[in-house]
Amino acid sequence: MAAASAVQESVQESVPESVPESVQDFIAVRTPEEIDRAACAAGADGGPEADGAAAAYRWVLDPGTPAPISGAVHELLTDGELAAEERAAIQAARDCARPGEERRRARGVADALGWVLGFAPLDE
């Protein structure tokens, strides 16, 4: 028991009291600059998927706006909120009751948020 306590204390001593980490430096695994470049590229492409991707990127960069699928508004986004919106987009993209264009837009949102999160692309 004393050995475990000594190991725990040495681990605590090796971790700095405060680790400076700015939320603005990274959003999930991407930088705001990378996301902005992707938003510009998606905006130039056109089509429902590109429109969905552009909407997702804009939301990630400005979470005070409604999310592209759920409409949720957050002051600050966490990875969990990004993942929840990505999952909602996947469900919308697979919902055959939705019009095709809406499903393709949702697919663009899902792909964009998956990229931000560092997930592998969706399979058809």
Side-chain angles (χ1 to χ4, degrees), residues 28-50:
V29 302
R30 305 295 175 190
T31 65
E33 294 79 18
E34 288 176 303
I35 296 168
D36 187 51
R37 283 192 303 271
C40 290
D45 283 348
E49 282 191 42

Side-chain angles (χ1 to χ4, degrees), residues 35 38-40 42 52-62 111-113 115-116:
I35 296 168
C40 290
Y57 296 135
R58 284 191 304 272
W59 174 66
V60 168
L61 293 172
D62 184 11
D111 287 347
L113 293 176
W115 175 78
V116 170

Side-chain angles (χ1 to χ4, degrees), residues 68-86:
I69 299 296
S70 70
V73 176
H74 305 279
E75 287 185 30
L76 186 65
L77 289 175
T78 65
D79 287 3
E81 290 156 342
L82 291 170
E85 188 69 12
E86 188 249 0

Side-chain angles (χ1 to χ4, degrees), residues 91-116:
Q91 288 178 333
R94 292 179 178 166
D95 182 357
C96 293
R98 293 177 183 255
E101 188 166 314
E102 189 177 321
R103 290 194 335 258
R104 287 189 300 277
R105 182 181 186 280
R107 174 66 183 246
V109 171
D111 287 347
L113 293 176
W115 175 78
V116 170

